[in-house]
Amino acid sequence: MPTRLAVTGAAAVAHAMRQINPDVVAAYPITPQTPIVEYYAQFVADGLVDTVMVPVESEHSAMSAVVGSAAAGARTMTATAANGLALMFEVVYIAASMRLPIVMPIVNRALSGPINIHGDHSDAYSVRDAGWIQLFSENSQEAYDMTIIATKLAEREEVLTPAMVNLDGFITSHGVEGVDLLDDEVVRDFVGIWEPKYPLLDVDNPITHGPLDLFDYYFEHHRQQQEGLKNAYKALPEVFAEYEKISGRKYDFLDLYRMEDAEYVMIVLNSAASTAKYVVDELREQGIKAGLIKPWVFTPFPKKELLAALEGRKAIMVLDRAMSFGKEAPLYSLVKSALYEAKDRPMIGSYVYGLGGRDVTPAMLKVPFEDALKGDLDPNEERYLGLKE
Amino acid sequence: MPVNMKQLINLVEKEDWPFTQGHRLCPGCNAPMVAKWATMTAKALGYEPVVGAATGCLEVSTTIYPFTSWNVPYIHNAFENVAATITGAESAYRSLLNRGRIKTDKPIKFIAFGGDGGTYDIGLQSLSGAVERGHDFLYILYDNEGYMNTGNQRSGSTPPGADATTEPVGRKSTGKIQFKKNIVEIIGAHENVYAATAVTSDPFDFMAKVEKGLKHEGPAFIAVLAPCVRFWRIPESTGPQVTKLAMETKYWPVYEIDRGVYKITRKPRNFKPIEEYVNAVGRFRKALQHPEYKEMIEEMQRYVDTRWERLLKLEEVTKDLYLR
Ligand SMILES: Cc1ncc(C[n+]2csc(CCOP(=O)(O)OP(=O)(O)O)c2C)c(N)n1
Ligand code: SF4
């Protein structure tokens, strides 16, 4: 029987990890990720799981240890946020190049500087080219589900690519919500046991992991990493469908909200989508054909799905919770490039919101719709929501 | 029983080399001896070594894809994290063993290799963390007193007067002025550890320490003086000879700190002046011509004498006082 718990997003993720019961978890605390490792450490201390927990001295060592552990053949997880992810950065790339299916919840937080502990997506965007699968979640339920989905997906033989599960700092990680947990055995059976092909600990068949890879093969190996992500793109619908069978919850590349006949479409990641859905409902009551797209999958970027969902609409407003200095905002530039192939191109505009945890209100999210209704969208202008200047 | 010649010959006869040919380290480099002796000792004792290496000469020259000189499981991750990487593998081993998922019943031992840059400097945090957490692994530092892989830059281990590309000897400078960081004391001060020094001129002392390190339940650390023939400007065949001189001039005392207990494992009968060591190593040549050279040598002599006296006293007062 599934259980319904009133828990924070951090606890929901920790419960997903408890049900997966990875062989090794190595992690280092950082607000707002800390409760995930704390809950998990308690599960270990109470004997609810038999994971070997490695409370390392830094995130750099956390990512290094999970690389060692996953290469050894163990199902391995860690979790971090912002500056922790920045300290891991070097090894985040290495993990992907070694094709290790590590799963890492990221509790999204502003990347210093200046130092700020609240939610935005500058951390997730900063590693968008590292070669990891990147899933996003609107709330605790989705963060829980995505942690389980990520484990199944990352370990598929044709994928073998590490995966990040993003959830918004404080809003999701510390907000208490009702979360439906699957039965422990259901999760255990769903993820199964990972059987790596070339574990380091196979002393009878020794393998050299992480060799020097010069100009004669490096290129080919990167091409193969690309293949892993292409295969992840192909595998995702299958894994989502399998997950729907055990949970009744349906996921896809894109969460399409009131999109059937929508003319004015907002695109936003993670928790702000909840507020945006509320705004869309309000506008619909006024007879405005508003809609929302929330990507669940950011890498591999679902360009085809997005193009199909956007073609023929009147206006698209893309919201980014981070900047790309001197360039267009990350999600915006990807959406814009996807639209290049559209036969019937909608108006498009870029909005940056909520940096460093700035509150996101319905009034704020109404602004892009109002601009669009006035026909006032400029594809080359970055606009700011709730900026006090 | 300590590892002996017969066991090693046995391995050689079976052609069971854990670290084998085909690497591209310079002829005369002392790093491969360290790797070979350590892994052979582990094998001869009946262990299956699982090896990690930090970025550096040893790593880049032994694993040029699609070739490898490692005939045992091997992992390289990055420059500063071999300790964390190998302890991740060690944690996985404990977990999988506990869950009955290890496919071999052979006893596995984890060995990490790092150069001095990856150990004294950038990797010190990850090593300290791993030792403090008490993982069961042996860390072997091959100390060539500089960043050799990237072209002879100074490290926390480079001695004063040595010419290094980031701290060269010049008209106004004798090169690096600081003494070496005392890495063995730093690691030894973690208390739960077996820490030792060794030289390439005395493989049996080294192998006995490898054995001790492998048998020690918990972290072990051995710093081996392993000349780089290229940047030390010494003839290819003289690496071990130079380390012998380093021991005889008190430049590199050979000792151990076993959970707080000091023991000098080689006590030369006749000491030689430090100047003999400095004269034997070409990387000091430029400093020799420097006007401040005399003072530099005097200071070095005073330093190594004092440190030796201190070691003798520590040996006496720590006798049998195991801290952990
Ligand atoms: C983070 C990082 N900084 C710098 C480097 C460049 N680098 C590679 S090896 C090395 C020096 C290695 O020196 P050492 O550890 O003493 O080993 P050796 O080459 O002497 O064997 C440096 C600086 C790197 N790979 N990674
Ligand atoms: S440069 Fe020095 S340390 Fe590197 S392989 Fe050559 S001799 Fe050995």
Side-chain angles (χ1 to χ4, degrees):
Chain A
M1 264 300 287
T3 353
R4 192 165 174 79
L5 295 181
V7 287
T8 62
V13 169
H15 274 293
M17 290 168 64
R18 172 182 63 72
Q19 295 177 316
I20 295 163
N21 191 6
D23 301 306
V24 174
V25 169
Y28 191 79
I30 178 169
T31 306
Q33 176 274 136
T34 306
I36 297 183
V37 288
E38 287 176 346
Y39 283 122
Y40 204 75
Q42 194 66 52
F43 292 150
V44 175
D46 291 339
L48 297 179
V49 284
D50 58 353
T51 301
V52 168
M53 188 98 183
V54 195
V56 283
E57 85 296 337
S58 73
E59 286 89 352
H60 195 284
S61 285
M63 187 44 65
S64 305
V66 300
V67 163
S69 166
R75 177 177 279 157
T76 310
M77 293 190 179
T78 182
T80 193
N83 292 43
L85 184 60
L87 187 59
M88 284 180 180
F89 181 82
E90 175 193 34
V91 196
V92 166
Y93 274 70
I94 293 169
S97 76
M98 288 174 82
R99 307 297 296 275
L100 301 172
I102 297 155
V103 172
M104 173 161 68
I106 305 285
V107 185
N108 301 120
R109 161 185 150 174
L111 203 49
S112 301
I115 186 168
N116 174 305
I117 59 165
H118 292 281
D120 81 22
H121 300 155
S122 43
D123 54 3
Y125 286 150
S126 76
V127 290
R128 58 175 226 177
D129 295 331
W132 287 54
I133 294 160
Q134 293 181 294
L135 307 175
F136 277 77
S137 60
E138 181 175 332
N139 49 39
S140 304
Q141 183 70 58
E142 291 189 6
Y144 167 85
D145 292 339
M146 287 297 179
T147 305
I148 299 165
I149 288 168
T151 304
K152 180 93 172 178
L153 176 69
E155 291 174 1
R156 280 177 65 131
E157 200 183 318
E158 80 280 22
V159 176
L160 282 182
T161 298
M164 292 175 195
V165 174
N166 291 275
L167 56 148
D168 277 344
F170 292 106
I171 300 163
T172 307
S173 64
H174 287 61
V176 175
E177 287 179 282
V179 177
D180 287 317
L181 299 194
L182 298 169
D183 286 340
D184 291 359
E185 311 80 70
V186 170
V187 176
R188 202 183 55 208
D189 294 345
F190 180 75
V191 294
I193 287 175
W194 177 46
E195 297 284 358
K197 259 191 159 166
Y198 306 108
L200 185 68
L201 295 182
D202 183 358
V203 291
D204 300 316
N205 302 290
I207 293 284
T208 289
H209 292 251
L212 182 73
D213 201 12
L214 298 176
F215 33 70
D216 36 8
Y217 288 100
Y218 180 88
F219 205 164
E220 285 68 28
H221 290 144
H222 268 224
R223 220 273 308 166
Q224 288 173 4
Q225 272 183 257
Q226 188 74 296
E227 204 64 22
L229 278 148
K230 276 192 197 163
N231 290 340
Y233 174 75
K234 282 191 214 132
L236 269 159
E238 255 174 61
V239 178
F240 284 147
E242 282 174 56
Y243 191 71
E244 188 185 353
K245 259 190 233 143
I246 61 161
S247 68
R249 290 186 286 275
K250 196 173 165 57
Y251 289 101
D252 204 337
F253 289 103
L254 304 173
D255 182 7
L256 302 175
Y257 187 72
R258 304 195 80 163
M259 280 297 292
E260 312 75 47
D261 59 343
E263 291 174 346
Y264 301 90
V265 181
M266 178 169 274
I267 305 182
V268 66
L269 287 164
N270 270 14
S271 67
S274 295
T275 317
K277 284 173 182 171
Y278 173 83
V279 170
V280 165
D281 288 345
E282 273 194 346
L283 294 171
R284 284 276 176 175
E285 267 168 43
Q286 295 162 29
I288 297 162
K289 290 186 174 170
L292 175 95
I293 297 178
K294 180 195 67 180
W296 272 309
V297 183
F298 181 71
T299 313
F301 192 69
K303 184 178 147 183
K304 196 173 77 147
E305 288 71 15
L306 208 56
L307 183 62
L310 295 182
E311 209 155 20
R313 314 286 176 170
K314 273 199 179 130
I316 317 293
M317 298 80 71
V318 186
L319 270 62
D320 276 276
R321 202 164 191 157
M323 286 181 188
S324 181
F325 297 111
K327 298 183 290 302
E328 290 177 337
L331 183 59
Y332 176 68
S333 74
L334 287 169
V335 172
K336 197 175 175 187
S337 107
L339 280 172
Y340 179 78
E341 290 165 43
K343 278 178 213 81
D344 183 6
R345 266 191 225 157
M347 279 194 295
I348 183 161
S350 171
Y351 293 83
V352 170
Y353 74 101
L355 297 196
R358 173 73 49 89
D359 211 9
V360 184
T361 62
M364 220 180 257
L365 296 190
K366 240 182 230 161
V367 173
F369 283 106
E370 284 161 3
D371 288 352
L373 284 164
K374 280 187 277 176
D376 172 29
L377 290 187
D378 181 347
N380 292 315
E381 185 189 337
E382 185 166 276
R383 294 180 185 168
Y384 306 102
L385 299 175
L387 187 71
K388 298 176 291 194
E389 262 180 358
Chain B
M1 202 178 65
V3 66
N4 58 45
M5 207 57 168
K6 228 174 116 220
Q7 288 165 302
L8 297 174
I9 290 171
N10 199 11
L11 279 182
V12 175
E13 277 175 352
K14 280 197 292 181
E15 297 209 13
D16 190 3
W17 299 100
F19 177 83
T20 183
Q21 77 272 31
H23 63 72
R24 299 184 206 175
L25 289 139
C26 305
C29 178
N30 279 206
M33 306 176 188
V34 174
K36 189 172 272 179
W37 295 338
T39 48
M40 280 180 78
T41 305
K43 274 263 184 185
L45 292 168
Y47 299 123
E48 290 296 326
V50 170
V51 168
T55 314
C57 274
L58 180 67
E59 170 265 331
V60 302
S61 310
T62 60
T63 68
I64 306 176
Y65 188 88
F67 306 107
T68 183
S69 295
W70 297 91
N71 205 9
V72 290
Y74 168 99
I75 184 167
H76 161 251
N77 186 341
F79 183 19
E80 62 285 38
N81 61 359
V82 65
T85 306
I86 209 71
T87 60
E90 184 255 6
S91 304
Y93 180 52
R94 274 188 284 135
S95 184
L96 297 177
L97 211 52
N98 185 31
R99 291 177 173 191
R101 299 232 324 274
I102 288 284
K103 295 196 181 69
T104 179
D105 50 9
K106 297 176 183 163
I108 291 179
K109 284 285 177 183
F110 294 88
I111 306 179
F113 291 100
D116 50 290
T119 306
Y120 285 78
D121 299 339
I122 197 167
L124 185 58
Q125 171 183 309
S126 120
L127 173 58
S128 171
V131 172
E132 178 270 324
R133 290 191 302 276
H135 293 276
D136 192 7
F137 74 117
L138 169 61
Y139 190 105
I140 298 179
L141 152 68
Y142 64 99
D143 191 346
N144 52 32
E145 306 193 317
Y147 301 167
M148 298 302 124
N149 178 45
T150 38
N152 192 22
Q153 294 88 15
R154 70 95 90 182
S155 80
S157 164
T158 306
D163 197 35
T165 48
T166 49
E167 216 161 344
V169 179
R171 247 172 302 163
K172 295 211 165 159
S173 161
T174 48
K176 189 184 168 190
I177 49 171
Q178 300 87 358
F179 282 108
K180 286 161 72 89
K181 198 189 268 188
N182 194 332
I183 193 75
V184 181
E185 301 260 344
I186 292 170
I187 303 303
H190 287 66
E191 298 182 355
N192 63 343
V193 62
Y194 171 79
T197 61
V199 278
T200 51
S201 57
D202 194 344
F204 280 95
D205 174 72
F206 172 59
M207 289 191 282
K209 285 168 177 168
V210 169
E211 179 170 355
K212 259 189 150 173
L214 290 171
K215 288 188 174 159
H216 173 72
E217 274 174 44
F221 174 86
I222 304 173
V224 194
L225 189 65
C228 159
V229 292
R230 189 158 137 63
F231 291 116
W232 284 28
R233 317 267 184 243
I234 56 172
E236 276 168 17
S237 57
T238 62
Q241 236 166 286
V242 168
T243 66
K244 185 160 181 267
L245 199 52
M247 182 175 70
E248 290 167 347
T249 54
K250 302 178 196 158
Y251 176 81
W252 184 266
V254 174
Y255 68 108
E256 62 184 22
I257 312 171
D258 185 3
R259 288 158 295 154
V261 177
Y262 282 70
K263 186 163 183 272
I264 304 173
T265 58
R266 291 284 187 267
K267 288 183 183 162
R269 233 167 279 146
N270 299 307
F271 290 112
K272 295 177 174 165
I274 191 78
E275 199 162 4
E276 264 188 51
Y277 175 73
V278 172
N279 278 319
V281 181
R283 64 191 317 212
F284 294 106
R285 202 168 299 141
K286 274 210 236 162
L288 298 182
Q289 285 140 20
H290 206 276
E292 280 162 42
Y293 162 72
K294 217 172 141 264
E295 293 88 71
M296 196 191 89
I297 289 290
E298 275 165 17
E299 204 187 331
M300 272 175 98
Q301 188 63 56
R302 191 201 54 78
Y303 173 75
V304 296
D305 288 343
T306 314
R307 198 175 45 167
W308 183 260
E309 288 306 313
R310 185 174 171 274
L311 270 177
L312 288 170
K313 291 205 169 118
L314 281 167
E315 188 177 48
E316 206 180 296
V317 300
T318 60
K319 194 165 184 303
D320 296 333
L321 291 175
Y322 292 97
L323 281 165
R324 306 252 180 130

